[in-house]
Amino acid sequence: MNILLECNHWTTHDDVEAFAQRAATFGATGLCLHEGDSLQTHSAEPAARAMAIRAEKAGTPIRCLKVIKPFPLTLIHADRRDTSQLRGAVCECIHRAHWLGATTLAISFIAPATATDAERHSALIDHLLYLRFEAQRHGVHLAVEAHRDCILTSLLETHIALDRVNSPWIGASIEPSRLTTPIEWIETLTHRLAVIRISAPSDVDPTTDLRNTLERIHFHGAVIAPFLAAMPPTS
């Protein structure tokens, strides 16, 4: 299984290298690097590629870039400049993920409070239909968050949106602890799932329903865990 450990509190290349060294001791296949203020100072291509090399040499390559701040969704009838700005911002993150060696970019969107559900869903699908080509061109899968606090709030909405986009480069990112029926989500979305983030130590127990379900559907995406969930219990 493709297990990535989160690298979320860092400021320098040395910090990322230290995370990579620790992750290697847990047998992780990669790091999920959180993009915050720190990454802005390392966002140029040479710096990002240098960070990727150091992480890989330390034993654990960067395989996912998670953008913490949600992108403000522009509606279909919005000003073209706003639409271009949103798409440009996501494309910049796709490029950055590519430079870092990441094959997955985890993102989320927020919509104007005045927008209807139909407007939010139509706008999201429209943007993803555009972004899928940029993702494919750089070999980076887009994982769009789906839970009660974002645009894709239900299993049906997520299923319909991903079917409309119809691209292997666009998938959902879910967190079982934030869903009432996580097993149903996994069994329904199957190949439409790009990322599953686990937050409870029990989620990584090989005997849990979650792990068994992932194996049953032949899940090929990334399972992202915080370091605490990955650590074995102390005696």
Side-chain angles (χ1 to χ4, degrees):
M1 192 174 294
N2 189 23
I3 304 291
L4 310 182
L5 296 187
E6 291 183 320
C7 177
N8 51 2
H9 297 296
W10 65 277
T11 55
T12 67
H13 287 204
D14 290 339
D15 295 334
V16 175
E17 184 175 0
F19 266 104
Q21 291 171 342
R22 289 182 60 205
T25 66
F26 295 117
T29 56
L31 290 180
C32 175
L33 189 69
H34 283 208
E35 180 186 49
D37 294 336
S38 298
L39 190 55
Q40 299 306 315
T41 59
H42 307 284
S43 60
E45 181 175 358
R49 290 190 182 276
M51 185 184 297
I53 292 172
R54 289 188 63 174
E56 186 155 12
K57 285 184 176 180
T60 314
I62 298 168
R63 286 293 175 258
C64 178
L65 176 63
K66 179 178 174 60
V67 181
I68 303 302
K69 187 176 180 179
F71 290 98
L73 190 72
T74 55
L75 304 182
I76 293 177
H77 54 72
D79 189 293
R80 286 186 177 182
R81 288 172 296 181
D82 294 333
T83 298
S84 297
Q85 184 176 7
L86 167 65
R87 293 177 177 177
V90 178
C91 286
E92 284 181 8
C93 289
I94 292 174
H95 299 163
R96 194 170 302 139
H98 174 68
W99 298 335
L100 288 166
T103 55
T104 301
L105 174 66
I107 58 177
S108 61
F109 296 92
I110 54 172
T114 56
T116 65
D117 287 344
E119 289 175 328
R120 289 195 289 267
H121 297 155
S122 295
L124 178 61
I125 291 170
D126 186 63
H127 289 304
L128 293 178
L129 285 170
Y130 172 87
L131 293 168
R132 60 180 175 171
F133 298 111
E134 193 71 10
Q136 180 179 6
R137 186 157 38 247
H138 290 85
V140 176
H141 295 85
L142 288 187
V144 183
E145 284 192 14
H147 53 74
R148 61 180 175 270
D149 298 323
C150 60
I151 294 176
L152 298 175
T153 59
S154 74
L155 175 55
L156 179 61
E157 291 171 349
T158 306
H159 192 290
I160 291 174
L162 295 178
D163 274 0
R164 287 280 304 278
V165 176
N166 190 29
S167 170
W169 296 95
I170 307 292
S173 171
I174 66 171
E175 189 171 338
S177 62
R178 304 183 73 172
L179 303 173
T180 54
T181 57
I183 301 301
E184 182 184 4
W185 277 68
I186 295 170
E187 292 178 334
T188 302
L189 294 177
T190 58
H191 65 279
R192 304 171 189 84
L193 279 173
V195 164
I196 296 176
R197 183 186 182 276
I198 56 179
S199 54
S202 61
D203 286 343
V204 296
D205 188 326
T207 63
T208 61
D209 288 341
L210 174 61
R211 179 176 286 270
N212 293 337
T213 302
L214 296 181
E215 292 175 351
R216 188 166 60 252
I217 68 169
H218 304 290
F219 178 65
H220 296 298
V223 176
I224 298 175
F227 266 101
L228 287 178
M231 291 180 181
T234 58
S235 55

